[in-house]
Amino acid sequence: MSIEEWLSGAGVRETVGELTRVLGPYTDRDWTGPAGDLDWSCWTTAAHIAHDLLGYATQLTGRPDTGYLPLDLRVRPDATPAQVLVVVAACGGLLAAAIDTVPAPTRAWHWGPCDPPGFAAMGIAETLLHTYDITRGLAVDWRPPAAPSTAVLRRLFPDAPGGDPADVLLWMTGRVTLPGRPRRTAWSWRAALG
């Protein structure tokens, strides 16, 4: 897929499918431990992905222009890891459907006016980055794929240095070091249009 194709409902579906493919075989492990270097557990991190995907979908369909809609996703605390992954897939499906169905000129708030490809990029980024965090917590060897990482970098991090897209995405978000570059302790992405 091209960068434009990645920043669409298809890209969100593909990325959430990757999360399911990677994490699905490990739902019998202990998800109460930390997800990588995060303070959240693997379970909480997966629920957070679902929350963000749903939040981005409702932003696009509600089209607020001054802030986030006053809603939150609550995943029941007794949900198994397998059930949480189904919730993530459902919320990813809602974001993909929203991206595919709103008119292209749609703008909704995310620290300024954001377009559908921007919400796709954020949904893909959240999914890739937190899948990485969870795999680290579960001792699973996985890195974000190059193509969606490239799309996210181009849309959300226009000042990113060159290099392997997965390494650069992980560095831009404070997860790893790059040769000659210390680990970042603060970062933000730019989804709003200028």
Side-chain angles (χ1 to χ4, degrees):
M1 287 194 285
S2 68
I3 288 175
E4 293 75 25
E5 290 168 325
W6 271 106
L7 300 181
S8 69
V12 171
R13 282 187 287 278
E14 181 71 24
T15 305
V16 172
E18 174 73 359
L19 172 146
T20 302
R21 182 190 69 74
V22 170
L23 296 177
Y26 303 102
T27 56
D28 60 340
R29 292 195 181 172
D30 180 5
W31 284 52
T32 62
D37 294 334
L38 301 180
D39 292 332
W40 295 335
S41 70
C42 293
W43 188 99
T44 302
T45 303
H48 168 80
I49 297 168
H51 175 273
D52 282 359
L53 296 173
L54 179 65
Y56 297 152
T58 59
Q59 287 300 104
L60 271 175
T61 56
R63 301 179 192 160
D65 58 7
T66 59
Y68 268 101
L69 294 173
L71 64 89
D72 286 303
L73 172 67
R74 179 184 169 271
V75 179
R76 292 182 187 154
D78 62 344
T80 66
Q83 290 171 322
V84 177
L85 292 185
V86 173
V87 174
V88 173
C91 292
L94 291 171
L95 176 57
I99 292 164
D100 288 345
T101 58
V102 298
T106 297
R107 299 295 180 263
W109 190 86
H110 184 83
W111 307 106
C114 187
D115 60 354
F119 281 101
M122 291 188 294
I124 292 168
E126 288 285 343
T127 304
L128 291 175
L129 294 167
H130 289 313
T131 298
Y132 174 77
D133 297 330
I134 294 167
T135 59
R136 289 188 60 222
L138 298 177
V140 174
D141 186 30
W142 180 85
R143 289 170 31 84
S149 296
T150 298
V152 166
L153 288 168
R154 294 252 177 99
R155 179 60 175 83
L156 300 179
F157 298 102
D159 58 340
D164 175 88
D167 289 342
V168 174
L169 179 60
L170 295 172
W171 179 76
M172 291 297 295
T173 57
R175 286 167 169 81
V176 300
T177 61
L178 284 179
R181 297 176 187 264
R183 188 169 177 174
R184 298 178 87 185
T185 57
W187 58 273
S188 64
W189 57 47
R190 288 183 240 152
L193 300 170

